Amino acid sequence: MDIKVVGVVGSGIMGSGIAQTFALAKLDVVLLDISQEMLQKALKVVRTSVQSMVKRGKLKEEELEAALRRITTTVSYADLARADVIIEVVSENLEIKKKVFNAIDEVAGPNCIISSNTSSISITKLASMIPRRSAKFVGLHFFNPVPAMKLVEVIRGLQTGDDAFNAMMQLAERAGKVPVSCTDSPGFVCNRILIPMINEAAFAVFEGVATPKDVDQVMKLGANHKMGPLALADLIGMDTVLSVMQVLHRDFGDPKYRPCPLFNKMVDAGHLGRKSGKGFFEYKPTAKM
């Protein structure tokens, strides 16, 4: 399949990173969100990110401008009609995703491949929301920060056809990523292993075994991790970590996936990590763009 245009629905941290990645891979990108204000903020984030690559000598100035010109922003789903692939990157809420996929279904071309960057929701369930396109529905799970992280989990739902799946494996490679094939299972591979580790680290704090700083120090020095699990939870976002643990607990029905009660308290308090300025650790507020 000759993919020339990628649609991205959602311009947050993940959506803007995905848009940047494909633009740098010399693909045209249509980036959609609900307001021009959000889209302009996303473009500023992309420009800042790409400028840092220029400063580090990884990109030339003219390549920066060419990549930015490849990104078209819109608030209209009709502008996605020319996309060969459309990737949904909205919040982990089933009702919101259903509305997004219904809107995509109305405008996408007959050969368009539909994808989701979900980190926890079943690809089979999402594909069932647009049954006439379910054979062309593939999970495409990027990791934060998208421009830097090489891994992409490519997830095959029960309905996913070989042509669509292979096309997404090739697209990830074209974007400079390392695609790993996964079947549809709660948490896929990375989150099924990673999030329970973070959950256990939170239990160690909750039960008074050690402070967040000491838990992270143990894992960095004892397990050779570059980042401690609780600092990583702050980077991911406490609400996202809790959501994934709840999915694992519900879908596997195994008590070992019970979310640590500390996550519920932190989410209720608005202590979501880096994006709120406070989580297991405190962070300086990010300057507004």
Side-chain angles (χ1 to χ4, degrees):
M1 181 178 179
D2 185 17
I3 296 172
K4 296 179 180 178
V5 182
V6 177
V8 180
V9 180
S11 66
I13 293 173
M14 295 301 292
S16 61
I18 292 169
Q20 174 185 327
T21 297
F22 285 120
L24 287 173
K26 299 183 178 179
L27 288 156
D28 288 336
V29 177
V30 180
L31 180 62
L32 181 146
D33 216 316
I34 59 174
S35 75
Q36 285 294 344
E37 182 182 1
M38 296 175 73
L39 290 164
Q40 290 308 306
K41 182 177 179 180
L43 287 180
K44 288 181 180 179
V45 170
V46 172
R47 178 175 285 276
T48 299
S49 176
V50 179
Q51 282 175 335
S52 71
M53 297 174 70
V54 173
K55 290 178 181 178
R56 287 180 279 132
K58 293 189 174 183
L59 206 66
K60 296 178 181 178
E61 186 70 33
E62 56 267 29
E63 292 175 311
L64 179 157
E65 295 301 333
L68 291 173
R69 285 195 298 270
R70 293 187 192 102
I71 301 175
T72 301
T73 61
T74 183
V75 294
S76 172
Y77 278 91
D79 291 328
L80 294 174
R82 65 189 184 95
D84 302 302
V85 172
I86 300 174
I87 306 170
E88 167 272 311
V89 200
V90 301
S91 59
E92 293 289 82
N93 179 296
L94 209 55
E95 287 305 310
I96 293 175
K97 289 185 186 294
K98 186 174 183 178
K99 291 178 181 177
V100 168
F101 288 126
N102 285 340
I104 290 173
D105 191 26
E106 290 182 6
V107 301
N111 297 317
C112 183
I113 297 174
I114 313 299
S115 187
S116 174
N117 184 60
T118 181
S119 59
S120 58
I121 299 173
S122 165
I123 297 301
T124 299
K125 180 179 287 187
L126 293 177
S128 70
M129 294 177 178
I130 43 176
R132 71 191 183 102
R133 297 181 186 272
S134 59
K136 293 184 177 295
F137 198 104
V138 186
L140 206 60
H141 185 209
F142 291 83
F143 292 80
N144 187 30
V146 177
M149 299 293 280
K150 286 290 187 181
L151 175 64
V152 176
E153 290 179 323
V154 184
I155 305 106
R156 184 192 293 268
L158 185 64
Q159 314 96 315
T160 303
D162 289 342
D163 290 345
F165 181 82
N166 292 334
M168 290 300 92
M169 291 286 285
Q170 292 166 12
L171 180 64
E173 288 181 345
R174 184 174 172 183
K177 303 302 183 184
V178 179
V180 174
S181 170
C182 310
T183 54
D184 189 20
S185 180
F188 312 130
V189 176
C190 185
N191 280 342
R192 179 173 176 172
I193 298 168
L194 175 66
I195 300 299
M197 180 192 73
I198 292 174
N199 193 54
E200 195 62 32
F203 266 116
V205 173
F206 183 65
E207 294 168 1
V209 177
T211 66
K213 180 180 178 181
D214 287 342
V215 168
D216 276 13
Q217 185 80 323
V218 165
M219 293 306 294
K220 286 191 288 185
L221 299 181
N224 202 28
H225 290 187
K226 290 183 179 180
M227 177 181 286
L230 300 179
L232 183 55
D234 282 353
L235 178 62
I236 295 169
M238 231 55 65
D239 48 345
T240 301
V241 173
L242 176 59
S243 174
V244 175
M245 280 306 302
Q246 289 171 333
V247 168
L248 294 174
H249 189 225
R250 181 195 69 215
D251 290 359
F252 281 119
D254 192 323
K256 74 178 181 180
Y257 294 115
R258 178 174 69 94
C260 177
L262 184 55
F263 284 128
N264 295 87
K265 290 185 177 182
M266 294 177 76
V267 170
D268 288 344
H271 298 170
L272 305 181
R274 286 183 179 268
K275 59 187 173 184
S276 69
K278 183 176 177 63
F280 285 103
F281 305 97
E282 293 191 8
Y283 304 89
K284 293 181 180 179
T286 304
K288 291 184 179 180
M289 296 269 181

